[in-house]
Amino acid sequence: MNLSLPSPSTFRVVPSSHCCTSCFQFNLRFHPSNRFRYSRRSSLKLSPTGKRRIACSVNESDGDNEEEKEEHKNEETQSLKDSVEQSNPPPVDAEQLNKFSDENNDQNIVQNTDNIEVASGSPLPGVKLDNVIKIPKETIDILKDQVFGFDTFFVTSQDPYEGGVLFKGNLRGQASKSYDKISKRLQDKFGDEYRLFLLVNPEDDKPVAVVIPRTTLQPETTLLPEWFAAASFGLVTVFTLLLRNVPDLQSNLLSTVDNLNLLKDGLPGALVTALVLGVHELAHFLVAQSLGVKLGVPYFVPSWQIGSFGSITRIRSIVSNREDLLKIAVAGPIAGYTVGLVLLLLGFFIPPSDGIGVVVDPSVFHESFLAGGIAKLLLGNVLKEGTPISINPLVIWAWAGLLINAINSIPAGELDGGRISFSLWGRKASNRFTGFSIVLLGLSSLLNDVAFYWVALIFFLQRGPISPLSNEITEPDDKYVALGVTVLLLGLLVCLPYPFPFIDETLASF
């Protein structure tokens, strides 16, 4: 049987008018308030022999009479009897003491919980919580005892996290199955009141569960409607797409105002590049819609060099897991690469018509390993260093579409490539890829102005972090992993230069 006694601070000194100012009596009694107190009557001391004796200092004056002395003597005798009775105190009710101890412990727990700082190392990066509502202690107890459990996630500790609670513990079984069980129990207990996240703690790379009230996860509001800003960006992008396909205007931008009629000459090329971009974005939206994920309005980013840098599309709802994010991320590039490659091959197969063909130097195909390899494979000995050739302009237009897809496939920030790397290898690896890509693009910008503008765009608009997923622990299926790796490799093939010279193989054999 465990008996818990209160701390010394629970003892009180009660002054008495029946004794002198220097006399006290320890009157130990158990009161209903579960506190011990002593009244001030006389002081209890131990003699050197270990026996109790009463020491009462009385200031006597010459005018004291015998009656006062006798009365004081009687008080000392009564005090001695009381002290002897205290040496054998009445039995203490253990149930009352345990109850008192539990109440004190509960108070200490509540006080400690209120004083705990918010957990460091944000498991919910990029999430802005509005109207933060603290979860009641009763709800936290239900979450620990009835929602989580030995068969899913055994809670070992908890910390307040923003408006919710971060639970640390041991994940049991497969993360996907455990998440489904916990979600069902949470739904049964509280309906749609709370949102569950099963994440990796950035502090120690161990699984953690975060429960947040849904009312705090409100979408971010903007001063201007999305469609208005998107339309403004779109109009500028249409202009740059047209301008990019009119070389006469590119060489002198100031002359564009006086020669707007020349922009119509860039319409065919703008339509081909826009087709690749449109298919890319449409694939994102269709896949996201099939998964129940809401996407924002795409912001097409204009570019003087290639017509457009693609688009910025925000994910407006929480994605369930890494596989769903991977499906959404690869859908756009896969569709864009497919259309772009088909158009590129058609451009090589369809001979240029008189007045339509574009004369280019073969050195231009050194800028892309993919385009250079296809050109060498299909044109053969026609493609020789220093010998200009005429090609269908569809090759250039489709190539621009492929380059835009490749730029968006860079594994950095919230680009398609960044989301793909996050889905494949997790948040920490994705952050490392982002840093490496930005450094590489920064070095490339010393030689290429496209890389300079793109690294600036990533750094200021698309560097992340990626919003948290409901379940970031479960890895995607192998077939989707293969698609993600394919997209990243295609991006490298489009961006890396073709290193081999274009020579006549017949002459080289001699």
Side-chain angles (χ1 to χ4, degrees), residues 125-327:
V127 173
K128 294 184 178 180
L129 303 178
D130 299 328
N131 301 322
V132 175
I133 302 174
K134 291 186 177 181
I135 300 179
K137 182 180 182 301
E138 296 77 8
T139 301
I140 297 176
D141 292 337
I142 295 176
L143 291 172
K144 289 173 54 180
D145 301 333
Q146 301 181 33
V147 175
F148 299 100
F150 286 97
D151 60 332
T152 55
F153 188 88
F154 178 65
V155 176
T156 57
S157 64
Q158 67 194 51
D159 291 321
Y161 182 78
E162 298 293 344
V165 182
L166 183 147
F167 295 97
K168 298 180 180 179
N170 301 318
L171 181 65
R172 304 297 175 88
Q174 295 182 1
S176 58
K177 293 182 178 179
S178 297
Y179 178 84
D180 292 339
K181 290 180 181 179
I182 298 171
S183 298
K184 185 178 183 305
R185 294 171 186 171
L186 187 64
Q187 178 76 20
D188 293 341
K189 290 291 182 182
F190 302 102
D192 294 330
E193 186 175 355
Y194 296 101
R195 181 86 196 203
L196 171 68
F197 296 90
L198 191 58
L199 312 170
V200 176
N201 191 344
E203 293 181 341
D204 53 15
D205 294 332
K206 293 183 179 180
V208 294
V210 179
V211 178
I212 299 288
R214 286 181 182 268
T215 54
T216 64
L217 296 171
Q218 299 297 332
E220 183 181 358
T221 58
T222 56
L223 296 177
L224 294 175
E226 280 191 336
W227 62 267
F228 181 81
S232 301
F233 276 87
L235 289 175
V236 178
T237 302
V238 170
F239 174 75
T240 54
L241 284 173
L242 293 171
L243 183 65
R244 195 256 175 197
N245 292 283
V246 183
D248 294 338
L249 295 180
Q250 278 188 315
S251 59
N252 187 3
L253 293 177
L254 295 178
S255 64
T256 304
V257 179
D258 299 327
N259 299 278
L260 291 177
N261 59 320
L262 293 179
L263 288 177
K264 66 179 186 297
D265 296 337
L267 186 60
L271 289 177
V272 172
T273 306
L275 175 62
V276 178
L277 288 176
V279 170
H280 179 115
E281 293 303 317
L282 182 61
H284 279 315
F285 275 88
L286 292 178
V287 174
Q289 186 177 19
S290 67
L291 297 173
V293 178
K294 296 180 181 179
L295 299 182
V297 180
Y299 291 79
F300 288 95
V301 182
S303 169
W304 301 110
Q305 297 86 1
I306 57 176
S308 174
F309 281 135
S311 68
I312 298 174
T313 306
R314 297 171 55 225
I315 298 178
R316 300 183 59 186
S317 59
I318 298 175
V319 183
S320 297
N321 49 56
R322 286 161 56 181
E323 184 172 299
D324 286 355
L325 180 65
L326 181 59
K327 291 177 183 178

Side-chain angles (χ1 to χ4, degrees), residues 25-30 36 44 52 79-92:
Q25 178 188 6
F26 283 80
N27 185 16
L28 297 177
R29 295 175 184 171
F30 192 77
F36 289 102
L44 178 61
R52 286 200 180 113
S79 299
L80 181 59
K81 291 181 179 180
D82 292 341
S83 63
V84 173
E85 291 177 358
Q86 292 166 14
S87 63
N88 296 307
V92 180

Side-chain angles (χ1 to χ4, degrees), residues 286-422:
L286 292 178
V287 174
Q289 186 177 19
S290 67
L291 297 173
V293 178
K294 296 180 181 179
L295 299 182
V297 180
Y299 291 79
F300 288 95
V301 182
S303 169
W304 301 110
Q305 297 86 1
I306 57 176
S308 174
F309 281 135
S311 68
I312 298 174
T313 306
R314 297 171 55 225
I315 298 178
R316 300 183 59 186
S317 59
I318 298 175
V319 183
S320 297
N321 49 56
R322 286 161 56 181
E323 184 172 299
D324 286 355
L325 180 65
L326 181 59
K327 291 177 183 178
I328 297 172
V330 301
I334 288 292
Y337 282 133
T338 301
V339 174
L341 283 173
V342 170
L343 295 176
L344 184 70
L345 294 175
L346 286 176
F348 281 115
F349 280 112
I350 299 175
S353 302
D354 294 338
I356 298 179
V358 178
V359 178
V360 298
D361 190 276
S363 61
V364 72
F365 291 105
H366 283 294
E367 296 182 6
S368 171
F369 192 96
L370 182 66
I374 293 176
K376 181 60 179 176
L377 178 66
L378 298 180
L379 299 179
N381 292 331
V382 176
L383 190 65
K384 294 182 292 185
E385 298 287 355
T387 304
I389 59 173
S390 178
I391 59 173
N392 194 306
L394 185 59
V395 172
I396 305 300
W397 301 337
W399 188 355
L402 289 174
L403 182 58
I404 295 171
N405 274 273
I407 288 175
N408 281 271
S409 299
I410 295 174
E414 291 194 86
L415 301 177
D416 292 335
R419 291 169 178 168
I420 290 172
S421 64
F422 173 86

